[in-house]
Amino acid sequence: MTDNNTTPASWRQATRLVRGATARSGFAETSEALFMTSGYVYESAEEAEAAFKGERKRFVYSRYANPTVSMFEQRLALLEGAACCHGTASGMAAVFAALACSVKAGDRVVASRALFGSCQYIIAEILPAWGVETVFVDGTNLDAWAAALKQPTRAVFLETPSNPTLEIIDIEAVCTLAHAAGARVVVDNVFATPMLQRPLALGADVVVYSATKHIDGQGRGLGGAVLTNDAPWDEEVLVPFLRNTGPALSPFNAWMLLKGLETLDVRVARHCANALYVAECLSARPKLVTRVLYPGLDSHPQRALAARQMAGGGTVVAFELAGGKDAAFKLLNGLKLIDISNNLGDAKSLITHPATTTHQRLTPEERAGIGIGDGLVRLSVGLEDAADLCEDLEQSLDALA
Ligand SMILES: Cc1ncc(COP(=O)(O)O)c(C=O)c1O
C-alpha cells in the first residue's frame, strides 16, 4: 500500500467522509480496495519474528488488523474526533467489548433503564453472573443518576436517544457525575449517528456503534465500532481483548461500511427531514395516535436538551396507538409501502412493535417502566418520498378508524 493515507487536518466533515484515511494500493484504484485476506506473507523468517515481537509495524493476521478494516476505522475515528477506533463484527460485539474491558468481579455499573434489549441483557444478566453489581436508573432524571453515583462506580452505560422511546439523556451532566464516582462512561450513539451527536466532545470516554444501522444504511450487513480517546486503556486492555477474543469485523463488511460513510451525511439529513415530516403527519391524528415521540418536535418532553445536544431530531419516530396491541398489529399489517422489520437506519422505512419484538423479553411491568406500552410502534424513517410514507400511514390509520 502506498503511504498516502494522511488526511489534511483542514478537511471538513463531508470531505473526510468521502476521502478520509484512504490508503491506495499500488494499483492506484479510485474506490477503496477490498483486502479479502486472513493472513499476510513475510519475506523471511526474521521478518515474521520481528513482526511478532512488535519491532516491525505491519499486518500479521486479520483478526488483529486488515488494511480495509483499518481504512474504515481511521475514517470513523476522524469523523468522531477519536484517537482510537476498532471495527467489530456487530454492534453488540462493540457494546460487549467496551463493558467487558471496563469491569471485573466486585465492580459496579450504573446504566440507564431504557436500553436496546441486547444491551439490557448484558447489563442485567451477563455482568451480574460474573459478580458485577448493576444498577438501572431513569436516564432522564439527573437526581437518580446523582443518587446512584454516590457510590464508587466503574462504568456508566447509556443510550441517547433511547430505543424505542427516544428519551434524551444529558450526556455532559451524566459524565460529570460519573467521573466524580470514578466511572468510565460508555455511550451507545446508534440512534443519534456520528452526524448528529458527538459524545466524546461532551465528556464520554467511549462511544459504541452498531454500524449495521445508519453507517451501512442500506440493510446489507452487520458491523460495529468502539471509539475512545483513552489511549492507555485502548492499548493495554481493549486491543488485547479484541485480538484474543476475536470479534473482528470482516474486510468485506468494512469495505461496505466505508462506502456507507461516504454518503452518511446526506442520508442522515434526508432521514431527519423525512422523520420530522412523518412525525408531524402522525401528530395530526390525535384520536388514533395518542402520543408521538420525536426529539425534533416541540411536543417532545426534552426538546430543549435534544436541540442543545443533537444537530437534528434523528431518524426514528415512535408513536402510541389508542387501541393497544390490536390497533398496532392492524396498523402494521395494513401498510403497503413501509416494511415490518426490527432493523433501523435503513434506506427503506421499517416499522416494528417493540413490546412483541425487540423488548418482548422484558416483563410487562419492566416495559411499562420505560414507556413501552402495547400500543407503541417504532418507525425507522427511510429515504423514500416523505409524502408517500405519510400516505401509507394515513391509509392504514383510516382503516383502523
Ligand atoms: C441502540 C442499539 N445498540 C446496539 C444494537 C446492536 O447492534 P447489532 O445488531 O449491530 O449487533 C442495536 C441494534 O438494533 C441498537 O438499536
Side-chain angles (χ1 to χ4, degrees), residues 276-340:
L276 179 60
Y277 187 95
V278 167
E280 282 167 349
C281 293
L282 290 166
S283 302
R285 303 289 298 254
K287 272 202 190 120
L288 291 170
V289 182
T290 50
R291 199 163 61 120
V292 179
L293 295 167
Y294 181 63
L297 279 183
D298 286 341
S299 59
H300 189 282
Q302 294 153 293
R303 174 76 190 107
L305 173 59
R308 193 171 80 229
Q309 189 166 277
M310 295 170 67
T315 69
V316 176
V317 177
F319 55 100
E320 186 93 40
L321 291 159
K325 178 180 169 186
D326 191 40
F329 272 36
K330 279 193 182 129
L331 175 90
L332 265 59
N333 293 337
L335 293 168
K336 298 187 168 118
L337 171 64
I338 299 168
D339 293 308
I340 303 172

Side-chain angles (χ1 to χ4, degrees), residues 44-97:
S44 64
E46 286 78 10
E47 191 192 353
E49 183 186 28
F52 271 76
K53 276 186 172 164
E55 291 166 2
R56 190 130 180 236
K57 234 179 145 340
R58 49 156 293 162
F59 293 103
V60 296
Y61 190 53
S62 286
R63 171 152 49 79
Y64 290 13
N66 167 283
T68 311
V69 176
S70 293
M71 273 193 272
F72 166 67
E73 292 169 340
Q74 288 173 34
R75 194 173 290 177
L76 187 58
L78 282 169
L79 182 59
E80 196 76 36
C84 319
C85 174
H86 304 284
T88 54
S90 69
M92 286 322 301
V95 170
F96 184 68

Side-chain angles (χ1 to χ4, degrees), residues 381-399:
V381 182
L383 302 178
E384 303 93 338
D385 191 307
D388 288 333
L389 298 175
C390 284
E391 272 175 32
D392 194 29
L393 289 161
E394 295 280 358
Q395 63 79 27
S396 196
L397 283 169
D398 288 344

Side-chain angles (χ1 to χ4, degrees), residues 12-325:
R12 294 167 181 83
Q13 284 299 44
T15 310
R16 290 174 170 199
L17 280 166
V18 178
R19 294 176 176 274
T22 300
R24 289 205 171 103
S25 78
F27 294 109
E29 64 281 350
T30 312
S31 174
E32 293 78 355
L34 168 52
F35 288 92
M36 249 358 249
T37 183
S38 38
Y40 306 84
V41 295
Y42 307 91
E43 291 294 328
S44 64
E46 286 78 10
E47 191 192 353
E49 183 186 28
F52 271 76
K53 276 186 172 164
E55 291 166 2
R56 190 130 180 236
K57 234 179 145 340
R58 49 156 293 162
F59 293 103
V60 296
Y61 190 53
S62 286
R63 171 152 49 79
Y64 290 13
N66 167 283
T68 311
V69 176
S70 293
M71 273 193 272
F72 166 67
E73 292 169 340
Q74 288 173 34
R75 194 173 290 177
L76 187 58
L78 282 169
L79 182 59
E80 196 76 36
C84 319
C85 174
H86 304 284
T88 54
S90 69
M92 286 322 301
V95 170
F96 184 68
L99 285 168
C101 289
S102 296
V103 294
K104 58 180 183 338
D107 284 344
R108 185 166 190 272
V109 173
V110 177
S112 54
R113 194 169 286 126
L115 293 178
F116 171 61
S118 297
C119 301
Q120 203 270 351
Y121 182 81
I122 290 176
I123 295 169
E125 306 287 338
I126 297 178
L127 295 185
W130 290 354
V132 175
E133 182 195 353
T134 63
V135 178
F136 287 100
V137 297
D138 170 357
T140 63
N141 182 343
L142 282 179
D143 293 338
W145 283 106
L149 290 167
K150 275 203 178 106
Q151 291 178 48
T153 300
R154 192 71 70 182
V156 157
F157 185 85
L158 63 93
E159 176 185 308
T160 177
S162 68
N163 179 6
T165 47
L166 307 172
E167 284 179 6
I168 310 292
I169 298 175
D170 188 333
I171 298 176
E172 208 165 8
V174 172
C175 286
T176 304
L177 292 166
H179 291 154
R184 170 177 295 120
V185 180
V186 181
V187 175
D188 181 337
N189 206 34
V190 168
F191 269 53
T193 84
M195 302 319 309
L196 302 181
Q197 183 169 273
R198 307 267 299 283
L200 296 179
L202 295 168
D205 303 287
V206 182
V207 177
V208 287
Y209 284 107
S210 164
T212 316
K213 308 295 184 286
H214 308 83
I215 293 177
D216 169 34
Q218 285 150 87
R220 298 169 293 195
L222 301 180
V226 190
L227 298 107
T228 184
N229 278 321
D230 186 346
W233 174 71
D234 183 76
E235 194 183 326
E236 289 156 27
V237 185
L238 185 60
V239 168
F241 178 90
L242 294 171
R243 287 182 166 205
N244 292 299
T245 61
L249 176 61
S250 108
F252 183 84
N253 284 17
W255 176 81
M256 177 193 78
L257 298 170
L258 260 172
K259 303 317 276 177
L261 282 177
E262 287 184 357
T263 56
L264 184 65
D265 57 343
V266 277
R267 286 186 289 106
V268 169
R270 169 76 171 261
H271 278 293
C272 290
N274 279 1
L276 179 60
Y277 187 95
V278 167
E280 282 167 349
C281 293
L282 290 166
S283 302
R285 303 289 298 254
K287 272 202 190 120
L288 291 170
V289 182
T290 50
R291 199 163 61 120
V292 179
L293 295 167
Y294 181 63
L297 279 183
D298 286 341
S299 59
H300 189 282
Q302 294 153 293
R303 174 76 190 107
L305 173 59
R308 193 171 80 229
Q309 189 166 277
M310 295 170 67
T315 69
V316 176
V317 177
F319 55 100
E320 186 93 40
L321 291 159
K325 178 180 169 186

